[in-house]
Amino acid sequence: MAAGMVFAALAFGAATLVEVNVVKTVVEPAPAEQCLLQVFNLAEGNINVGVAGSDLFQDPIPKLQDPPAYETLPLGAPVKELNIDVTFSESKHTCRHTFEEQKAYSLIIYTDITGINCKLVEDYIKKDESGNPNVRFFNTRTEAINITVGETLFYVPPDHSMSPNKSVTRGNYPSVGCSLLSKTCDNLNLGLLDFGASYTFILMEVKVLL
Ligand SMILES: *[C@@H]1O[C@H](CO)[C@@H](O)[C@H](O)[C@H]1NC(C)=O
Ligand SMILES: *[C@@H]1O[C@H](CO)[C@@H](O)[C@H](O)[C@H]1NC(C)=O
């Protein structure tokens, strides 16, 4: 009995979800010639990140850690392209991204068959006037996923893409609809989406180790 139920759960576990970033406090935008940056590590272990011209991220960044806070990145110009060195296990990769002053960014690090990859997304740090929580999803799968939170549909593009952020009604969401073309997708438990907070959920495939 018990084994059968576990098997069913695994068979239908097409997507699992990890809440990586919750921002509850008001984030003040960076001053002129600076921007805000945080790092999400989706690699299978600690990574080290070095941003050219700064001494940010001295400590290794653990896998799936909710970044403790934004770091202020000096640009020395309104717009600046910077090299970012990422080290994971024995490999090192340099990404290059353009940053604009006063914006806030998340740098998402993941690995695939090509090695280490970086994805820079812009973050929306302005609070919704009504205090409604702000939600977005990042899809690590190779297939698009639709997620329905209350009345709000999120289309989450495939291959390490972030959905647009949307505001949803505050509340508890123990079972939101999830839809994939190729297979069934269990409803997902987002838990409490709280007043004035913003959430980034990572959608990952369940890895079954037998
Ligand atoms: C986030 O959502 C707001 C409100 O819908 C929108 O104005 C803003 O452009 C979005 N920002 C990003 C970075 O997606
Ligand atoms: C997601 O929603 C869009 C728009 O409603 C629809 O065209 C698409 O087929 C849906 N995709 C999946 C995987 O359910």
Side-chain angles (χ1 to χ4, degrees), residues 143-146 153-155 179-182:
E143 196 180 348
I145 305 180
N146 284 340
L153 174 76
F154 292 80
Y155 170 77
S179 138
L180 282 161
L181 281 186
S182 73

Side-chain angles (χ1 to χ4, degrees), residues 133 148-151 168-176 188-193:
T148 314
V149 183
E151 307 276 279
V168 303
T169 310
R170 171 191 180 194
N172 205 4
Y173 292 90
S175 176
V176 303
L188 301 168
N189 181 1
L190 303 188
L192 177 67
L193 301 181

